[in-house]
């Protein structure tokens, strides 16, 4: 049996590069970004939040990450999606109404998939930022990587994939030599 070694080799090279890229990019990002933000102030206006519920499922499904940026309250408008503190947790909902009261803004919000508006108005001090964009499903991985077990599992998975790649490459080369 002859295996097209050149084509398979290119495919596995691509897989190996993808795995190494994940290691090179995600590990330092998850380990260093919190410290860079804390000690340098760089990226302090931006944050990454994991969406835990389906209250925005029509637009942003649970397990997504949202990238938010701090904005001045007067720049927010109806239709913007914001992340804010509510009952010691972060909520990401759409602004349905902007209210100015005593030179301060309050915001009425609602999850796109919810039937009713949120019970409480959002104060400007509780707003963490306006959602710039989201990436589906990545939040599940990032949430698990916040704990040491998740980081170890991620690293072991990538190392296992690299081992499988090496074994398959060796097997293909062995069959090519025999064939």
């Amino acid at each position: 049996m002859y295996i097209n070694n050149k084509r398979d080799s290119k495919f596995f090279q691509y897989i190996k590069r993808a795995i190494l890229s994940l290691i090179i990019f995600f590990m330092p990002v998850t380990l260093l970004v919190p410290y860079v933000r804390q000690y340098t102030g760089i990226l302090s206006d931006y944050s990454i939040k994991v969406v835990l519920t389906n209250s925005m499922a029509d637009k942003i499904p649970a397990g997504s990450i949202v990238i938010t940026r701090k904005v001045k309250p007067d720049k927010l408008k109806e239709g913007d999606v914001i992340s804010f503190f509510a009952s010691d947790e972060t909520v990401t909902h759409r602004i349905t109404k902007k209210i100015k009261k005593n030179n301060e803004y309050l915001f009425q919000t609602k999850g796109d998939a919810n039937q009713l508006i949120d019970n409480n108005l959002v104060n400007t001090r509780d707003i963490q930022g306006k959602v710039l964009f989201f990436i589906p499903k990545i939040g599940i991985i990032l949430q698990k990587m916040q704990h040491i077990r998740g980081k170890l599992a991620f690293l072991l998975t990538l190392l296992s994939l690299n081992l499988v790649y090496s074994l398959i490459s060796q097997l293909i080369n062995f069959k090519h030599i025999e064939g």
Side-chain angles (χ1 to χ4, degrees), residues 43-141:
L43 301 174
S44 61
D45 286 348
Y46 296 88
S47 61
I48 299 172
K49 309 290 180 198
V50 178
V51 176
L52 300 175
T53 69
N54 279 316
S55 65
M56 290 291 291
D58 296 346
K59 177 78 173 165
I60 307 170
S64 300
I65 60 167
V66 292
I67 310 302
T68 64
R69 180 176 184 210
K70 290 181 184 176
V71 295
K72 293 180 180 179
D74 61 323
K75 301 292 183 195
L76 293 170
K77 60 186 183 306
E78 291 178 16
D80 287 343
V81 177
I82 58 171
S83 290
F84 57 92
F85 289 115
S87 304
D88 295 329
E89 64 183 12
T90 298
V91 177
T92 299
H93 282 173
R94 188 174 306 280
I95 297 173
T96 57
K97 191 174 191 180
K98 183 176 179 179
I99 304 162
K100 189 169 185 179
K101 185 176 181 181
N102 299 330
N103 289 331
E104 184 178 71
Y105 289 103
L106 299 169
F107 299 91
Q108 183 180 67
T109 57
K110 177 184 172 293
D112 288 357
N114 293 347
Q115 297 294 321
L116 303 172
I117 61 170
D118 297 338
N119 290 330
N120 299 317
L121 296 175
V122 178
N123 291 307
T124 56
R125 67 180 172 274
D126 293 328
I127 296 174
Q128 296 174 359
K130 177 182 174 180
V131 174
L132 300 176
F133 63 94
F134 75 97
I135 304 171
K137 301 184 191 218
I138 299 294
I140 297 165
I141 296 167

Side-chain angles (χ1 to χ4, degrees), residues 2-57:
Y2 178 75
I3 297 175
N4 185 346
N5 195 26
K6 198 176 217 180
R7 186 187 75 210
D8 292 338
S9 178
K10 284 185 179 182
F11 172 75
F12 287 114
Q13 287 288 340
Y14 175 77
I15 296 295
K16 187 174 184 176
R17 279 191 220 126
I19 291 168
L20 290 175
S21 296
L22 286 172
I23 292 171
I24 290 168
F25 178 74
F26 278 110
M27 289 306 283
V29 167
T30 59
L31 295 173
L32 297 177
V33 165
Y35 299 106
V36 169
R37 288 181 59 187
Q38 181 179 355
Y39 295 112
T40 67
I42 297 172
L43 301 174
S44 61
D45 286 348
Y46 296 88
S47 61
I48 299 172
K49 309 290 180 198
V50 178
V51 176
L52 300 175
T53 69
N54 279 316
S55 65
M56 290 291 291

